[in-house]
Amino acid sequence: MSSAVTRARIVEIADRLFYERGYQHTSFADIGAAVGLSRGNFYYHFKSKDSILDAVIESRVASTRRMLAEWETEHDDPADRIMRFVEIVVTNGPDIRAHGCPVGTLNTELAKLDHALRGRARELFTVFRTWLRDQFALLGHADQADDLAMHVLTFSQGVAVLSNAYRDEEFVRREVDRMRDWLSTYSR
Amino acid sequence: MSSAVTRARIVEIADRLFYERGYQHTSFADIGAAVGLSRGNFYYHFKSKDSILDAVIESRVASTRRMLAEWETEHDDPADRIMRFVEIVVTNGPDIRAHGCPVGTLNTELAKLDHALRGRARELFTVFRTWLRDQFALLGHADQADDLAMHVLTFSQGVAVLSNAYRDEEFVRREVDRMRDWLSTYSR
DNA sequence: CAGACCGTAGGACAAGCGTCCTAGAAGATC
DNA sequence: GATCTTCTAGGACGCTTGTCCTACGGTCTG
């Protein structure tokens, strides 16, 4: 099979495993078994575990950008776009209850490891942050847009951690409602 | 040295290392080196790594209860007590920026590992949750006390994750201010 | 002083890890 | 069809992990 295709499959599966079990707790052998490749053969595609992580982060950044761009075409009102983000914790509820937020948990893990790719992982937050900032600016709050963006991120991370700990769907719904009320005071 | 004293020292040091570097990433050898004991000798005090974790969680639960009891003697107004909790993210700012919230990150890690002690770690959240609930009940909001308690926890976890990712002190301050305003609508 | 007991040191162990190597299969090129 | 490149299998390597064992130095009891 072509190298590019195999590489993409490795990244896709590593992405899922890193999310579900964490980076440290996912071994070369795990990825190899899931992809259907021998462990040693990995070295042809990726020279180290870190380089797989790097590719996974890059892939996540790209797909996040795609998703946000799509939301912009689907909603004209920036407030609707922001709510679309807020509701991720409902839309992806089952995954988040089981494994937390992909962005938050990766950042938390890499911070503990003092990992070289910590900075790259933070970019994932920044993609959302700048996008949210832009939406608040469009709503006429350019002066405090970044602050409001960070507040929305704070909400989503808090909900993710606690819904993961308690596996409580109702709690998520109540927090989303609260967020909707808060957001309405910043809408047109 | 007496067994009880050594045991307590192991727990104390393991507690710190688990917080700073994560559970998985802390080895028997690490703890041994930090305590000043040979690796093998550990088996005299703890029969497994999990049993150390269990002791660490127990110790954290106990010290959290002590702290909360102390806050009750220091503040008569439940709103002041809640603010004392809210301000943890400022008081322990440097640690949280460096290593996240001890409770949140442990729960997140154990969830990924699908670890047997996940439930015990959740107790740490519950200690805060029930205490906050009691404070809101004292403020006359018994009907929605648990919901409000969870909202405060959501705030603290969200702030912890993001201040850890961005190492941003100003952000924390702004979120605490926002929380203070929100809380004032529930005070007497 | 003799013996029992508590705490320790240090290494053996099997397994798993990330990394690396080599030989061969598969496929493309001429 | 021969040759060269691309991809793969499978295992060796050195290291670290959690676990376990045995033998030694202290301390206290009779």
Side-chain angles (χ1 to χ4, degrees):
Chain A
M1 191 173 317
S2 96
S3 184
V5 171
T6 305
R7 207 187 132 95
R9 251 197 26 242
I10 292 174
V11 170
E12 183 194 340
I13 289 180
D15 189 346
R16 209 194 69 227
L17 291 177
F18 288 169
Y19 174 42
E20 290 177 359
R21 312 145 71 133
Y23 176 64
Q24 298 177 88
H25 193 232
T26 302
S27 73
F28 259 57
D30 291 337
I31 304 174
V35 177
L37 285 181
S38 71
R39 191 179 72 254
N41 188 23
F42 257 85
Y43 244 68
Y44 183 79
H45 299 282
F46 291 97
K47 63 186 173 312
S48 73
K49 196 182 173 186
D50 286 359
S51 66
I52 299 184
L53 177 58
D54 197 51
V56 165
I57 293 175
E58 182 123 331
S59 154
R60 287 193 190 179
V61 166
S63 70
T64 301
R65 289 222 163 89
R66 270 197 305 276
M67 181 183 73
L68 295 178
E70 205 175 316
W71 288 358
E72 292 185 26
T73 69
E74 290 177 21
H75 306 278
D76 289 335
D77 186 349
D80 291 340
R81 298 174 183 169
I82 296 169
M83 270 313 292
R84 186 73 180 259
F85 172 82
V86 166
E87 280 166 354
I88 287 183
V89 291
V90 173
T91 313
N92 298 348
D95 281 345
I96 292 175
R97 283 196 294 281
H99 311 111
C101 167
V103 178
T105 55
L106 181 64
N107 271 272
T108 296
E109 182 175 8
L110 296 187
K112 295 262 185 203
L113 301 183
D114 204 12
H115 195 285
L117 293 176
R118 222 176 71 77
R120 299 253 317 126
R122 184 173 38 217
E123 275 183 53
L124 284 165
F125 269 136
T126 303
V127 170
F128 285 109
R129 179 180 183 170
T130 58
W131 183 83
L132 286 167
R133 167 154 49 78
D134 293 346
Q135 306 313 312
F136 278 110
L138 287 172
L139 282 175
H141 305 287
D143 53 329
Q144 48 175 338
D146 187 61
D147 175 35
L148 298 174
M150 284 297 281
H151 181 65
V152 174
L153 285 180
T154 301
F155 151 85
S156 75
Q157 290 307 304
V159 168
V161 169
L162 285 162
S163 83
N164 179 233
Y166 284 110
R167 317 245 148 143
D168 185 344
E169 199 172 353
E170 274 310 306
F171 150 72
V172 175
R173 241 176 269 279
R174 281 195 301 270
E175 283 300 318
V176 168
D177 288 345
R178 214 188 300 268
M179 202 61 194
R180 198 188 331 266
D181 289 348
W182 173 84
L183 187 59
S184 70
T185 65
Y186 289 93
S187 303
R188 294 183 187 284
Chain B
M1 192 174 314
S2 97
S3 183
V5 172
T6 305
R7 207 186 132 94
R9 248 192 35 237
I10 292 174
V11 170
E12 183 193 340
I13 289 180
D15 189 346
R16 210 194 67 228
L17 291 178
F18 288 168
Y19 174 42
E20 291 178 357
R21 312 146 72 135
Y23 176 64
Q24 299 177 86
H25 195 232
T26 303
S27 72
F28 259 58
D30 291 337
I31 305 173
V35 176
L37 285 181
S38 72
R39 190 178 74 255
N41 187 23
F42 257 84
Y43 244 68
Y44 184 79
H45 299 281
F46 291 96
K47 64 188 171 311
S48 73
K49 197 182 171 186
D50 286 0
S51 67
I52 300 184
L53 177 58
D54 197 50
V56 166
I57 293 174
E58 182 123 332
S59 154
R60 288 192 190 180
V61 167
S63 70
T64 301
R65 289 222 164 88
R66 270 196 304 275
M67 182 183 72
L68 295 177
E70 206 173 315
W71 288 358
E72 292 184 26
T73 69
E74 290 177 21
H75 306 278
D76 289 335
D77 186 350
D80 291 341
R81 297 175 183 168
I82 296 169
M83 270 313 293
R84 187 73 180 260
F85 173 81
V86 166
E87 281 167 353
I88 287 183
V89 292
V90 174
T91 313
N92 297 349
D95 281 345
I96 292 174
R97 283 196 295 281
H99 311 109
C101 167
V103 178
T105 55
L106 182 65
N107 271 272
T108 297
E109 183 175 8
L110 297 187
K112 296 262 184 204
L113 301 182
D114 205 11
H115 195 285
L117 293 176
R118 222 176 72 77
R120 299 255 312 128
R122 185 173 36 217
E123 275 183 53
L124 284 164
F125 269 137
T126 303
V127 171
F128 285 110
R129 179 180 183 169
T130 58
W131 183 84
L132 285 167
R133 167 155 49 78
D134 292 346
Q135 306 313 312
F136 279 110
L138 287 172
L139 282 175
H141 304 286
D143 52 330
Q144 49 177 335
D146 187 60
D147 175 35
L148 297 174
M150 284 297 281
H151 182 65
V152 174
L153 284 181
T154 301
F155 151 85
S156 75
Q157 289 307 304
V159 168
V161 169
L162 284 163
S163 83
N164 178 232
Y166 284 111
R167 317 243 147 146
D168 184 344
E169 198 172 353
E170 273 310 305
F171 150 72
V172 175
R173 238 176 270 280
R174 281 194 303 269
E175 283 300 317
V176 168
D177 288 345
R178 216 188 299 268
M179 202 61 194
R180 198 188 331 265
D181 289 348
W182 173 84
L183 187 59
S184 71
T185 66
Y186 290 92
S187 301
R188 296 183 187 283

